[in-house]
Amino acid sequence: MDSAFDDLLQHNRDFAATFALQGFDGVAKSGVAMVTCMDSRIDPLGMIGLEPGDAKILRNPGGRATERTLVALVLGVNLLNVDRILLVQHTRCAMASKSERELLVDISQAAGVDASWLDLGAIEHQRLSIIQDVHRVRSHPLIGERAQIGGFLYDVDTGLLEQVA
Ligand SMILES: [Zn+2]
C-alpha cells in the first residue's frame, strides 16, 4: 500500500535494524521531566545532556503548564521517578510573538475558515507566564514539594538556558 508515510516507515526499518533502546522501563532514569514548546528548533534532551530513557518530555504550543500537562507531571512525580521539573519556554516563540487575536487571524487566513472560536493560549508576557506556570505546578496538591521545579527561557540562537523562576 502506498502511503504518505512511506519515507518515514523506511527510515523506521533502518532504525529498528540497529535498535538499542530496548531493555529498560518507562521511568525517568535521571528523574527529570521537561515541559517545553513544540518548536522544531528545540532538542529537549540534548540541551541538558540527557538521552532517551532519562526524562519525561512534554511538549505543547508555548511550553505551558496546561491541565493535561499537569496530569502528566502528577504521573511523572508519583509513579515514574520524576523529582526535577523544568518548564522551558523559548525566545522567538510564535505563541509569544503575536497577540491571540493576531494569531487567530493568521490561522483563519491559512485554513480558509473562521478560527476565532479557538482558545489558542497566546503568551502576552513570557517571563511572567514562566513564573506563573512554576507557581501553578508547585501549588498542585499532587506535586507540591515532591519535586524541584524551575522555570527557564531557552535561547534558540545560542542554545543557552536562562533560569527565570
Ligand atoms: Zn514556541
Side-chain angles (χ1 to χ4, degrees):
M1 180 181 82
D2 273 355
S3 147
F5 305 97
D6 282 347
D7 56 330
L8 304 177
L9 290 171
Q10 178 57 49
H11 287 301
N12 172 251
R13 286 187 284 276
D14 297 342
F15 174 78
T18 56
F19 188 58
L21 295 176
Q22 67 273 65
F24 52 80
D25 58 23
V27 304
K29 275 194 292 187
S30 71
V32 167
M34 180 190 290
V35 180
T36 193
C37 184
M38 63 192 274
D39 193 292
S40 48
R41 291 169 289 193
I42 297 173
D43 173 3
L45 291 172
M47 77 161 80
I48 51 174
L50 300 182
E51 294 176 353
D54 284 341
K56 298 296 167 196
I57 305 296
L58 309 163
R59 304 187 72 160
N60 61 48
R64 301 305 308 276
T66 63
E67 279 302 320
R68 296 311 297 175
T69 299
L70 286 168
V71 169
L73 291 173
V74 166
L75 283 166
V77 166
N78 292 288
L79 299 181
L80 298 167
N81 197 44
V82 170
D83 59 10
R84 284 187 294 172
I85 297 170
L86 295 87
L87 305 177
V88 180
Q89 294 192 29
H90 68 98
T91 59
R92 300 207 273 131
C93 182
M95 292 294 285
S97 62
K98 290 184 174 182
S99 71
E100 178 97 1
R101 186 173 172 75
E102 288 168 332
L103 285 166
L104 289 173
V105 168
D106 289 351
I107 293 170
S108 295
Q109 286 174 350
V113 294
D114 175 48
S116 62
W117 50 270
L118 192 66
D119 179 7
L120 201 58
I123 300 163
E124 198 170 343
H125 301 292
Q126 201 169 33
R127 286 171 186 270
L128 181 60
S129 74
I130 294 170
I131 293 165
Q132 288 170 336
D133 279 0
V134 166
H135 179 73
R136 189 157 194 237
V137 176
R138 193 174 281 142
S139 61
H140 193 289
L142 296 171
I143 300 173
E145 300 303 314
R146 308 199 58 184
Q148 300 288 318
I149 301 154
F152 303 83
L153 189 63
Y154 175 75
D155 187 325
V156 296
D157 294 304
T158 66
L160 284 171
L161 277 171
E162 173 198 350
Q163 185 156 11
V164 173

